[in-house]
Amino acid sequence: MSKKKFFFAAWLLLLSGTASAQNDDSVTIRKISNEIMAKGTAYENLRFLCKKVGPRLSGSPQAQKAVEATFQMLKEAGADTVYLQPCMVPHWIRGEKEQGYIQMANGTKYPLKLCALGNSEGTGKKGLNASIIEVRNFEELDRLGAAVIKGKVVFFNFPMNPIHINSFWAYRESGAYRTRGPARAAKYGAIEVMVRSLASNLDDFPHTGTTLYNDSFPKIPAVAISTNDAEWLSRQLMRKMVTTVYLRTTCTMLPDVPSFNVVGEIRGSEIPDEIITVGGHLDSWDLAEGAQDDGAGCVQSIEVIRAYKATGLKPKRTIRAVMFMNEENGGRGGDKYLELAKEKKEKHIFALESDAGGFTPRGFGLDMPEEKRQKVMSWKNLFYPYGVYDLSGGGGGSDIGPLKQIGAALAGLNPDTQRYFDLHHAATDTFEAVSKRELHLGAVNMTALIYLVDKYGL
């Protein structure tokens, strides 16, 4: 046989072997899909988490109830071992229902739909009354400076940019005004901040979320107002119809309290010291049930464990489902998970996070070296039947992100984003807004990716 014919024959043999392996994988993934779509428990687990536990802000009694509930869910899913990882978490309390109104030039009062930002300081029982200055961006804030800002309430009116088809890009842009706006305004003597809610559409629901203070400046109160109110207020300020704003919040930050990550794992049958993590964050904001953010990611991760056990799959590597605590206003759970992994000198090869809602899955964001990303890309045809087509760069998540320090390749489930910011951090994030089929289809794709990484490595 000539050298040319030999290499051609070897190439055909390789293609044949690859096709055969992909066919076997396709059969296994179909088995996983049939199990989850017909018998999955993620939706009912989410119902329990939302309706029996409810909002799960770190440090709250409900957060502890969620720890206990998901511990039991992991045991019922068939995890070989279930255990808790202690961590200290912030304990912020919203306090009494927030109050606020705009005093109009004609003597009437316009009540605002508002909520305090997470980790923010309160105004005190009497509240604050001051004039308002509308600011469109940080550049304008810097130009105005203390001469204009001092003693006023700064109203950051920065809408989410509608031209971004992936609404998370718009969130990253406008989110800076919620996280850093109060500290930036305090630098120039502002006494309080109002931010336009981070919502894609116009509605009457204020969206909360954490803010970050700078110790160099006063920690001033901060609230979000609904997008409808933001539009209305901007028009009234332009018409010079507004005299002052009154705001009253009684939120406060208490000393840190103990809490837990919840971990359930299936021990690997061949390479147990190599660890694959899949997870979501167990805490949620206190305005609603935290169904999409991030009850969905938690119950999907538990479903990965259940699907493995129900289908009889035996992983080569150890698979862990982790319910991370305190993603929303501190990130302590993810930090503790990394700390313990370092102490135990664990080898984490891959971590997958679901923290973008339980909507229809579209793809995975991949944060890993190019050669590993190309390996994942070689599996893309296996995901097409389940609606996933986008295996793009970038991804991971807040809780698994620290694992990059010890060499883990990261990925994040990317569901459709169009409706997520109608619900995110708002009173609308309830169980009723979740589709069972969409939620379970996300779990199918997560389990399929875990299966392929476990089988072939990265």
Side-chain angles (χ1 to χ4, degrees):
M1 181 185 292
S2 69
K3 182 181 290 186
K4 186 175 181 179
K5 288 182 178 179
F6 172 80
F7 282 117
F8 181 69
W11 179 70
L12 286 177
L13 186 62
L14 177 63
L15 282 183
S16 174
T18 301
S20 176
Q22 289 234 334
N23 184 60
D24 290 344
D25 293 332
S26 179
V27 170
T28 299
I29 293 171
R30 172 55 63 183
K31 186 178 179 182
I32 289 168
S33 177
N34 289 348
E35 171 62 33
I36 293 175
M37 297 306 288
K39 302 176 184 176
T41 62
Y43 189 68
E44 289 307 313
N45 280 340
L46 184 61
R47 184 195 302 274
F48 187 93
L49 201 58
C50 291
K51 299 303 180 184
K52 300 298 183 182
V53 177
R56 307 172 297 279
L57 188 59
S58 293
S60 69
Q62 291 89 347
Q64 179 56 32
K65 287 178 67 175
V67 167
E68 295 164 5
T70 50
F71 187 97
Q72 185 61 32
M73 289 173 190
L74 282 163
K75 291 181 75 69
E76 291 172 359
D80 295 342
T81 56
V82 184
Y83 54 95
L84 303 178
Q85 293 180 332
C87 58
M88 298 297 291
V89 299
H91 189 195
W92 179 80
I93 295 177
R94 183 172 299 278
E96 300 171 19
K97 175 65 178 172
E98 301 93 336
Q99 299 176 27
Y101 60 82
I102 300 296
Q103 181 66 56
M104 305 295 291
N106 62 8
T108 62
K109 296 177 180 178
Y110 178 90
L112 290 169
K113 292 167 280 293
L114 77 158
C115 64
L117 294 184
N119 290 3
S120 65
E121 297 290 328
T123 63
K125 294 284 187 179
K126 292 183 178 180
L128 292 172
N129 203 318
S131 58
I132 312 169
I133 181 74
E134 181 178 15
V135 175
R136 296 286 180 172
N137 51 52
F138 287 138
E139 290 75 17
E140 183 178 355
L141 178 76
D142 293 336
R143 284 198 305 272
L144 293 172
V148 176
I149 299 298
K150 189 174 182 179
K152 293 186 175 65
V153 173
V154 170
F155 165 40
F156 284 113
N157 191 16
F158 190 95
M160 289 182 70
N161 191 339
I163 70 171
H164 293 299
I165 303 305
N166 184 334
S167 59
F168 277 89
W169 289 107
Y171 177 69
R172 291 185 185 110
E173 288 178 355
S174 55
Y177 294 89
R178 187 197 73 208
T179 55
R180 295 188 284 116
R184 293 281 294 265
K187 174 183 177 182
Y188 296 114
I191 61 170
E192 184 156 11
V193 160
M194 296 192 300
V195 299
R196 180 192 182 104
S197 281
L198 304 183
S200 301
N201 295 307
L202 295 178
D203 63 33
D204 290 326
F205 298 96
H207 295 229
T208 191
T210 198
T211 193
L212 303 174
Y213 288 117
N214 184 324
D215 289 339
S216 298
F217 310 113
K219 295 180 179 180
I220 62 176
V223 302
I225 63 172
S226 74
T227 47
N228 275 335
D229 278 357
E231 291 287 298
W232 175 88
L233 179 56
S234 183
R235 291 193 301 269
Q236 302 310 310
L237 287 167
M238 188 177 299
R239 295 170 57 200
K240 301 188 184 305
M241 294 297 292
V242 174
T243 56
T244 58
V245 59
Y246 171 79
L247 297 166
R248 180 182 183 273
T249 60
T250 59
C251 45
T252 187
M253 183 69 81
L254 299 175
D256 290 356
V257 295
S259 191
F260 305 92
N261 294 331
V262 186
V263 184
E265 66 180 39
I266 305 173
R267 187 161 178 80
S269 59
E270 297 178 23
I271 323 170
D273 291 338
E274 291 191 1
I275 297 167
I276 296 172
T277 295
V278 59
H281 67 83
L282 191 51
D283 61 309
S284 76
W285 284 109
D286 53 334
L287 298 181
E289 297 167 353
Q292 301 282 7
D293 186 22
D294 184 30
C298 289
V299 298
Q300 286 172 328
S301 300
I302 294 169
E303 188 67 14
V304 172
I305 298 292
R306 195 201 68 81
Y308 257 87
K309 288 295 186 174
T311 57
L313 284 172
K314 298 187 183 303
K316 295 179 180 180
R317 298 166 169 87
T318 294
I319 297 175
R320 284 184 187 164
V322 183
M323 314 297 107
F324 293 97
M325 184 56 71
N326 188 229
E327 186 271 350
E328 292 293 5
N329 68 332
R332 305 283 185 83
D335 291 341
K336 175 57 69 171
Y337 190 69
L338 173 67
E339 177 188 322
L340 294 174
K342 286 180 173 179
E343 283 181 9
K344 298 174 183 177
K345 295 182 170 53
E346 293 175 338
K347 184 177 182 181
H348 287 255
I349 68 162
F350 180 65
L352 169 63
E353 185 165 330
S354 173
D355 185 19
F359 297 103
T360 300
R362 303 295 190 198
F364 292 101
L366 307 175
D367 184 3
M368 57 188 69
E370 182 60 22
E371 67 274 11
K372 294 183 179 182
R373 193 173 80 86
Q374 288 302 319
K375 188 168 187 177
V376 176
M377 290 286 289
S378 73
W379 305 328
K380 63 183 179 181
N381 290 343
L382 294 166
F383 292 98
Y384 285 159
Y386 309 98
V388 161
Y389 56 86
D390 181 16
L391 301 176
S392 55
S398 298
D399 287 309
I400 63 172
L403 294 173
K404 196 171 182 179
Q405 298 178 32
I406 55 174
L410 309 179
L413 178 69
N414 288 341
D416 188 278
T417 69
Q418 303 313 311
R419 292 182 293 134
Y420 186 61
F421 291 101
D422 293 342
L423 311 170
H424 183 251
H425 296 180
T428 44
D429 187 8
T430 63
F431 175 75
E432 289 75 14
V434 179
S435 158
K436 179 178 179 179
R437 286 189 61 80
E438 289 180 321
L439 180 74
H440 283 196
L441 191 58
V444 168
N445 282 281
M446 290 167 66
T447 309
L449 182 56
I450 295 292
Y451 158 75
L452 291 166
V453 173
D454 173 60
K455 181 175 179 179
Y456 296 108
L458 280 178

